[in-house]
Amino acid sequence: METGLDNMPQAQSNMSIMYKKMSVLIHQDGLSFFIYSSTGIESRILKSFKHESNPIEILQEIENTYLNEEDLNQRFDEVTVIYNHPIFSGVPSSIYDEQHQSDYLKYNVRLLETDVISTDDAIEVLDYKTVYIAYTNINNYFFDKYGDFNYYHYSTLALQKHYSRNDQSKSEVILDIKESQFYITIFDKGILKLHNSYPHQAAEDILYYTLFTAQHNQIDPESMDLKIIASAKNDTVYELLYTYVREVSYVIDSNTYLEDILCV
């Protein structure tokens, strides 16, 4: 005769598997939806835009994607929206003042009266907070659809991942290359020296900003460890960087690395 207690472990296991999450990466060049559970990623829905889009156009693309993708129209136990755009600033959490949120951004971008400024929780080990614009129309859309949900700037999640893999005995420069922008992160023996986003249209743009930021932070290209994270290896970028930097490598498991950042 079986009892309810005998079936408890299996029931708990099934509940864990059934707990379904979705992460949505929103950027000016496209959308990425990741549906996943404790067993791993179940579905990826990737949408590219024909040109860099504004928040109104992005919301229209989100609405169209929900109309056309049946996988998105299911129940999720947890939803996370991740903004990947250059409208952000990193602020030392030790001096951060909520009353001055707009001051942290006003020199980087023209702020509108309707803009809502958000700040992610501090990364205490790095003394770092990300201050950024979270698009109000998109947040409202997801709130109307799911109620409470989490949202972050990509920088916050990426920095946590970078630091977890950082070799604190070295000077390390990480290039996280996207379609029209890329992030440079510099650690010097475990201390965050720089994290910022730069535009690029050619390999020379990536080279220029990499060498400029390294020099500005007194990092020697002859001794620094340069890591590239990208969806595919670009030989032109690699060879150009290798001309000036001794240690250049691509993160081998870059797709897994990025999914680890997004699927929080």
Side-chain angles (χ1 to χ4, degrees):
M1 176 177 178
E2 294 183 350
T3 67
L5 288 175
D6 291 334
N7 291 327
M8 282 287 287
Q10 183 64 42
Q12 289 174 346
S13 175
N14 287 340
M15 287 178 63
S16 175
I17 293 172
M18 290 168 57
Y19 191 86
K20 192 163 289 191
K21 300 181 181 182
M22 179 176 68
S23 288
V24 185
L25 178 67
I26 296 171
H27 49 103
Q28 293 165 309
D29 303 305
L31 303 167
S32 302
F33 296 82
F34 296 88
I35 298 170
Y36 57 102
S37 67
S38 59
T39 59
I41 296 177
E42 299 176 4
S43 179
R44 300 170 182 83
I45 299 169
L46 310 177
K47 300 291 181 181
S48 296
F49 304 154
K50 294 180 180 179
H51 57 83
E52 290 190 15
S53 301
N54 61 46
I56 294 173
E57 293 171 324
I58 293 172
L59 179 57
Q60 291 172 341
E61 291 289 347
I62 292 171
E63 291 172 334
N64 289 336
T65 304
Y66 269 89
L67 287 174
N68 295 320
E69 297 290 344
E70 186 177 342
D71 279 355
L72 298 180
N73 295 294
Q74 58 181 298
R75 179 183 174 276
F76 296 105
D77 298 287
E78 189 174 327
V79 173
T80 300
V81 172
I82 302 155
Y83 289 100
N84 177 16
H85 59 52
I87 313 173
F88 77 96
S89 182
V91 181
S93 53
S94 54
I95 63 170
Y96 169 81
D97 185 341
E98 186 176 1
Q99 302 302 315
H100 294 284
Q101 279 186 323
S102 61
D103 294 335
Y104 302 134
L105 289 176
K106 68 182 182 182
Y107 298 110
N108 295 349
V109 66
R110 182 172 64 89
L111 294 174
L112 304 177
E113 290 184 6
T114 54
D115 285 335
V116 175
I117 301 175
S118 297
T119 303
D120 288 341
D121 290 340
I123 308 174
E124 297 294 350
V125 70
L126 297 176
D127 188 34
Y128 185 96
K129 274 181 174 283
T130 308
V131 181
Y132 62 103
I133 298 295
Y135 299 141
T136 304
N137 62 331
I138 292 174
N139 272 7
N140 288 342
Y141 175 85
F142 280 99
F143 182 79
D144 289 342
K145 204 166 190 65
Y146 299 108
D148 290 338
F149 67 98
N150 303 310
Y151 65 96
Y152 305 92
H153 192 274
Y154 178 84
S155 288
T156 299
L157 303 179
L159 276 174
Q160 291 173 330
K161 179 67 174 177
H162 297 338
Y163 183 75
S164 72
R165 285 195 172 190
N166 175 241
D167 184 343
Q168 299 192 14
S169 68
K170 297 180 178 180
S171 295
E172 186 174 77
V173 178
I174 302 167
L175 307 184
D176 188 350
I177 301 175
K178 310 301 184 190
E179 187 71 25
S180 60
Q181 70 178 91
F182 73 109
Y183 294 90
I184 300 179
T185 305
I186 297 178
F187 291 105
D188 188 17
K189 295 180 173 60
I191 298 173
L192 178 64
K193 305 290 286 186
L194 173 98
H195 176 76
N196 210 345
S197 170
Y198 302 91
H200 74 90
Q201 293 181 332
E204 288 78 11
D205 298 329
I206 295 173
L207 173 68
Y208 170 78
Y209 286 115
T210 301
L211 295 181
F212 174 79
T213 54
Q215 181 184 42
H216 184 73
N217 287 278
Q218 300 179 318
I219 304 296
D220 183 2
E222 286 291 312
S223 60
M224 73 187 195
D225 187 6
L226 178 61
K227 290 185 170 65
I228 304 172
I229 302 169
S231 57
K233 184 175 180 179
N234 184 315
D235 290 334
T236 303
V237 170
Y238 177 86
E239 289 168 8
L240 192 58
L241 288 167
Y242 190 69
T243 303
Y244 298 90
V245 181
R246 177 167 296 187
E247 296 292 336
V248 182
S249 63
Y250 272 83
V251 174
I252 296 173
D253 56 342
S254 58
N255 288 331
T256 302
Y257 191 98
L258 291 170
E259 289 172 356
D260 285 349
I261 291 173
L262 301 174
C263 300
V264 293

